[in-house]
Amino acid sequence: MMNKIFFGLLLLSLFGVWAACHSEQEAKTGAKLFVADDLEATVWAESPMFYNPTNIDVDIRGRIWATEAVNYRNFNNDSAKHLSHPAGDRIIIMEDTDGDGVADSSKVFVQDKDMVSPLGISVIGNKVIVSCSPSVIIYTDNDGDDKPDSKEVFLTGFGGLDHDHGLHTGIPGPDGKWYFITGNAGPHVVTDKSGWTLRAGSVYNGGSPYNTSNTPAQQSDDGKIWTGGVVFRINPDGTGLEVLGHNFRNSYEVAVDSYGNMWQNDNDDEVDACRVSWIMEGGNAGFFSETGTRTWRADRRPGQSIQTAHWHQEDPGVMPVGKIYGAGAPTGMVVNESDALGEAYRGLLLSADAGRNAIFGFRPKPDGAGYDLSDGSPFIASTPSDNEFYRWNDVVENTEKWFRPSDVAIGTDGAIYVADWYDPIVGGHQMMDSIGYGRIYRIAPKSKKLITPEIDLDQTSGQLDAFLSPAINVRNQGFERLKAQGRGILPSLTKLLASENPYHRARTVWLMAQLGQEGISRTADLLQDDDSGIRLTAFRALRQADQTHLMDYASKMATDPSPAVRREVILALRDVPFEQSKTVILKLIDGFDGEDPAYLNALGIALKGKEQQVYAELMQHAGNPEPENWSKAFAAIVWELHPDQAAPALKKRASDEKLDIADRKKALVALGFISTKEAALSMLGLLASTDKEIGGSAQWWLQFRKTNDWKSYLNNWQSPTDKTLAAQPEVLNYYEQFKDEDNGLDAKRQLAKQLAGSRTGKLYLIDLAASDLLPEVIKEELKNQLLTDDDRNFKALAAHYFDANDTVSYNLDEIVRLPTDVDKGKTLFIANCVVCHKIGAVGQEIGPNLTHIQTKFDRKAILDGIIRPAAAVAFGSEPYLVLLKNGAAIYGLLLSDGPVVTVMDTYGKQYVMDAATVARKRHLNTSIMPPPRHIPLTPQDAADISAYLSRSDKDLGK
């Protein structure tokens, strides 16, 4: 069913104030956005005032600051054909000096070679905080002339140089600390100014020539392993770095509301699994395996949907996924806490998505200990409807799909400002807009004029105005000035606690808690407030401000009627020894209803490392029930904690035919997450189950765990599904002799010919060519033999290294103008593409799922991906060449790294190898997808396939 484009229709029953129709607002340049009927969208600024905006912020004067990424991926985009800034990327300041709703002033604040595609900016007073991997850079303007007087590298060591998956924006939270988020292009090895070091990594490499040495399973100075992308906070003086969540893919921005809730949007592996989530403190977001050694594909269990497996949603210890909304490319986000647009818009979580040409609007609703984000849809967009199967074929004409929102912010006037990257494709490895064009839109009410206020921070009234500002970083300045006044400001803050705006009340709670003992005392009184959101905020604030009395507060709130408040109490006890927190923990466990996933996840986070103690205590607390008599809540907690000593009981539950099959399978999964010998032997025992589901699942877990946690216990167990690569000693001998410098050209010729005689030997020739160890004369002699190989995937790989003309591609502009035959395109896709790609239920999942590809790319961009696959390799789809010590070799996708290496070959077969057997892994700078001439496809064929893929009704079953 087609959704209407504006969020107001979805919420009409709640607010009764939004009209059920759209309004098209024509910008001066002809740009058009669709918004709710009572709002209007206008172009506030556009190129040449600035170019290629990646992030924006608003200062206390209402000016918009933008980071530019003109030099975005110059390693992949010819700077001679695109706008380029050799002196470095820039920060631009724009202003509407006459209040007419259009910027009329633009200036360069700084241009710096250390800024290579910066992804974040925060303007806090005279400090401009720029996120640009590998560093957080602070430029300070001491004299107010809009030029930096000093530059400080605040933090450094982040991975992701010139990469979308690097370091993103930092913003101040309501507690005064700064919150940052990173993507998974690690490793991130970052030391704060007190000497504490964060180490985060994963199996992911690729996406840029600089992202080649990521390392999973690294331990940080807190003794924990943080994986992939991380969200962290830090004191403004650079001390106290603290990780708040991890295992994101590429969360582009963290939004922190005045209650202290964190929100994020995360991209996917091109499998229609983009999401918006509330972040549980300490939560595992679930993209990789827990320590980052395996991808979701390596961990995917039989029967799991892609979306479930992609975020590990059936694994213990993983936070709830939030809202999965399909294909997209999520970017900036913010919570609108202002009433300037009207009370109906207060509390909207705005999430930009460059792939969907939209700003989504979500209305988070408390749902037990978590939040329900199902109430959301596009709130601002360049297309008239959010049909995710929206079809566009007329690429040249259809520039509405060029709207690529990179960020969204709230101004001091309360208007919404949207930065538009503007390009026919969504970033990734390249861009098509050669002139760097960009826009900033302003969304404001039709019925009233929003005014940028003048704020005087030297006066208490001005500090209060700043504190209540719609703009995040402006209110932080008010927070700091009011905090500096001390307890004397408490009477004014008491008045704010009666505000009709709940965000103002929550904001005030945080400030009161930092105003000495009297402020702490008044905050403690709020633990009895009628509003559960205020009680929750008061507890969070006291946890930071008054650690000495944490257990007193926790004991008091352990039976609070709100599951969300009790969740915060649980999380606060994470670092408290169990013997000190046992009584409170058992009260909190008694408050679990057996179903609430967020509450259960909070227990898992808080009790990690204490599982054995908790299980023994929990058994006694419950009266030592037999496994078949476990309550729903008890069974769920054991699943989440999966303590070692529960293995026998879990085996009994999995074997018990009197239990529901779902309960039995859940027990089996919990057993699979216990790393002991007893668990492995218990799983072996389940192979004999008369229930095919139980026996089949047990076999999968044994095969899976044989490659990691149970490896030493299953040496003598042979799975019928084991795939091994036969030793190739002769090939290895030829290869080693070829590398011997004592052998001359003639000898190398003969050795190369021997290698060319087998498939494995040909892969070794690829390795030699990639290492620049193969003389050009030998490459030329072998060229024809390699380029006529029967395997099109190998032939394309060989062409990349052996054919100087391989870079010659079909002419995109010519092909896009060819007439197309959609039915022929479908036939060609079935014949040539389903071996790697899936549409609906048909095809393989080696490359990206193409079911909804038309929602993210127009036909020209799809066509470009077909004829130039190496120009825009999907993240996570970069190929590897793995050479084994026994002489075997495999070419494909790396699914796991670390003690065990898993590779999926170009035909979908997975091979699992002990890392000790691997001689070398080489990341290849090409695509696993062959270009059209090696498939082979004619230009007309490529045009027809692109036309078919652009359709919304391309079910292969039809």
Side-chain angles (χ1 to χ4, degrees), residues 662-677:
D663 293 331
R664 296 173 65 192
K665 289 170 71 175
K666 196 131 188 175
L668 189 147
V669 169
L671 185 63
F673 277 90
I674 298 174
S675 60
T676 65
K677 182 177 182 179

mmCIF file of all heavy atoms in Angstrom, residues 662-677:
data_model
loop_
_atom_site.group_PDB
_atom_site.id
_atom_site.type_symbol
_atom_site.label_atom_id
_atom_site.label_comp_id
_atom_site.label_asym_id
_atom_site.label_seq_id
_atom_site.Cartn_x
_atom_site.Cartn_y
_atom_site.Cartn_z
ATOM 1 N N ALA A 662 9.392 -23.957 19.622
ATOM 2 C CA ALA A 662 10.082 -22.661 19.674
ATOM 3 C C ALA A 662 10.940 -22.555 20.924
ATOM 4 O O ALA A 662 12.065 -22.036 20.886
ATOM 5 C CB ALA A 662 9.065 -21.524 19.622
ATOM 6 N N ASP A 663 10.437 -23.065 22.068
ATOM 7 C CA ASP A 663 11.208 -23.029 23.311
ATOM 8 C C ASP A 663 12.411 -23.965 23.220
ATOM 9 O O ASP A 663 13.495 -23.650 23.731
ATOM 10 C CB ASP A 663 10.327 -23.424 24.495
ATOM 11 C CG ASP A 663 9.241 -22.400 24.778
ATOM 12 O OD1 ASP A 663 9.469 -21.211 24.478
ATOM 13 O OD2 ASP A 663 8.178 -22.789 25.295
ATOM 14 N N ARG A 664 12.227 -25.092 22.572
ATOM 15 C CA ARG A 664 13.331 -26.036 22.417
ATOM 16 C C ARG A 664 14.444 -25.446 21.538
ATOM 17 O O ARG A 664 15.633 -25.556 21.853
ATOM 18 C CB ARG A 664 12.818 -27.341 21.813
ATOM 19 C CG ARG A 664 11.833 -28.085 22.697
ATOM 20 C CD ARG A 664 11.225 -29.277 21.984
ATOM 21 N NE ARG A 664 12.244 -30.283 21.691
ATOM 22 C CZ ARG A 664 12.053 -31.324 20.877
ATOM 23 N NH1 ARG A 664 10.882 -31.462 20.244
ATOM 24 N NH2 ARG A 664 13.019 -32.193 20.672
ATOM 25 N N LYS A 665 14.032 -24.813 20.440
ATOM 26 C CA LYS A 665 15.032 -24.225 19.548
ATOM 27 C C LYS A 665 15.762 -23.066 20.217
ATOM 28 O O LYS A 665 16.950 -22.853 19.992
ATOM 29 C CB LYS A 665 14.357 -23.771 18.257
ATOM 30 C CG LYS A 665 13.904 -24.931 17.374
ATOM 31 C CD LYS A 665 13.030 -24.482 16.227
ATOM 32 C CE LYS A 665 13.808 -23.735 15.186
ATOM 33 N NZ LYS A 665 12.957 -23.408 14.009
ATOM 34 N N LYS A 666 15.054 -22.317 21.046
ATOM 35 C CA LYS A 666 15.702 -21.209 21.747
ATOM 36 C C LYS A 666 16.748 -21.746 22.723
ATOM 37 O O LYS A 666 17.838 -21.168 22.872
ATOM 38 C CB LYS A 666 14.660 -20.378 22.484
ATOM 39 C CG LYS A 666 15.161 -19.023 22.921
ATOM 40 C CD LYS A 666 14.197 -17.935 22.537
ATOM 41 C CE LYS A 666 14.783 -16.566 22.801
ATOM 42 N NZ LYS A 666 13.921 -15.473 22.339
ATOM 43 N N ALA A 667 16.438 -22.848 23.394
ATOM 44 C CA ALA A 667 17.411 -23.470 24.289
ATOM 45 C C ALA A 667 18.632 -23.942 23.508
ATOM 46 O O ALA A 667 19.782 -23.814 23.960
ATOM 47 C CB ALA A 667 16.759 -24.636 25.029
ATOM 48 N N LEU A 668 18.401 -24.483 22.315
ATOM 49 C CA LEU A 668 19.508 -24.948 21.481
ATOM 50 C C LEU A 668 20.399 -23.783 21.063
ATOM 51 O O LEU A 668 21.632 -23.907 21.063
ATOM 52 C CB LEU A 668 18.948 -25.692 20.270
ATOM 53 C CG LEU A 668 19.943 -26.436 19.395
ATOM 54 C CD1 LEU A 668 19.291 -27.693 18.810
ATOM 55 C CD2 LEU A 668 20.448 -25.574 18.260
ATOM 56 N N VAL A 669 19.799 -22.653 20.709
ATOM 57 C CA VAL A 669 20.586 -21.475 20.344
ATOM 58 C C VAL A 669 21.437 -21.016 21.529
ATOM 59 O O VAL A 669 22.622 -20.694 21.374
ATOM 60 C CB VAL A 669 19.665 -20.339 19.853
ATOM 61 C CG1 VAL A 669 20.443 -19.035 19.736
ATOM 62 C CG2 VAL A 669 19.061 -20.698 18.506
ATOM 63 N N ALA A 670 20.834 -20.959 22.710
ATOM 64 C CA ALA A 670 21.600 -20.553 23.893
ATOM 65 C C ALA A 670 22.780 -21.491 24.120
ATOM 66 O O ALA A 670 23.894 -21.049 24.449
ATOM 67 C CB ALA A 670 20.686 -20.537 25.116
ATOM 68 N N LEU A 671 22.554 -22.780 23.923
ATOM 69 C CA LEU A 671 23.638 -23.746 24.052
ATOM 70 C C LEU A 671 24.744 -23.449 23.048
ATOM 71 O O LEU A 671 25.940 -23.573 23.354
ATOM 72 C CB LEU A 671 23.080 -25.152 23.837
ATOM 73 C CG LEU A 671 24.028 -26.330 24.040
ATOM 74 C CD1 LEU A 671 24.508 -26.388 25.478
ATOM 75 C CD2 LEU A 671 23.327 -27.639 23.661
ATOM 76 N N GLY A 672 24.359 -23.043 21.841
ATOM 77 C CA GLY A 672 25.338 -22.732 20.812
ATOM 78 C C GLY A 672 26.211 -21.542 21.133
ATOM 79 O O GLY A 672 27.277 -21.376 20.530
ATOM 80 N N PHE A 673 25.786 -20.705 22.073
ATOM 81 C CA PHE A 673 26.580 -19.533 22.452
ATOM 82 C C PHE A 673 27.428 -19.772 23.702
ATOM 83 O O PHE A 673 28.070 -18.852 24.198
ATOM 84 C CB PHE A 673 25.668 -18.330 22.658
ATOM 85 C CG PHE A 673 25.314 -17.632 21.374
ATOM 86 C CD1 PHE A 673 24.195 -18.008 20.647
ATOM 87 C CD2 PHE A 673 26.132 -16.631 20.866
ATOM 88 C CE1 PHE A 673 23.878 -17.386 19.443
ATOM 89 C CE2 PHE A 673 25.828 -16.008 19.666
ATOM 90 C CZ PHE A 673 24.704 -16.387 18.955
ATOM 91 N N ILE A 674 27.447 -20.997 24.199
ATOM 92 C CA ILE A 674 28.329 -21.347 25.317
ATOM 93 C C ILE A 674 29.588 -21.973 24.732
ATOM 94 O O ILE A 674 29.524 -22.885 23.908
ATOM 95 C CB ILE A 674 27.621 -22.317 26.291
ATOM 96 C CG1 ILE A 674 26.386 -21.653 26.889
ATOM 97 C CG2 ILE A 674 28.585 -22.756 27.386
ATOM 98 C CD1 ILE A 674 25.545 -22.572 27.755
ATOM 99 N N SER A 675 30.737 -21.517 25.153
ATOM 100 C CA SER A 675 31.987 -21.893 24.480
ATOM 101 C C SER A 675 32.696 -23.087 25.105
ATOM 102 O O SER A 675 33.816 -23.410 24.711
ATOM 103 C CB SER A 675 32.941 -20.690 24.462
ATOM 104 O OG SER A 675 33.243 -20.269 25.790
ATOM 105 N N THR A 676 32.079 -23.776 26.067
ATOM 106 C CA THR A 676 32.765 -24.841 26.795
ATOM 107 C C THR A 676 32.692 -26.189 26.082
ATOM 108 O O THR A 676 31.859 -26.409 25.190
ATOM 109 C CB THR A 676 32.152 -25.005 28.192
ATOM 110 O OG1 THR A 676 30.784 -25.446 28.045
ATOM 111 C CG2 THR A 676 32.184 -23.697 28.962
ATOM 112 N N LYS A 677 33.535 -27.113 26.539
ATOM 113 C CA LYS A 677 33.529 -28.481 26.007
ATOM 114 C C LYS A 677 32.203 -29.160 26.303
ATOM 115 O O LYS A 677 31.667 -29.895 25.455
ATOM 116 C CB LYS A 677 34.684 -29.270 26.615
ATOM 117 C CG LYS A 677 34.797 -30.696 26.097
ATOM 118 C CD LYS A 677 36.013 -31.403 26.685
ATOM 119 C CE LYS A 677 36.150 -32.816 26.136
ATOM 120 N NZ LYS A 677 37.344 -33.508 26.690
#
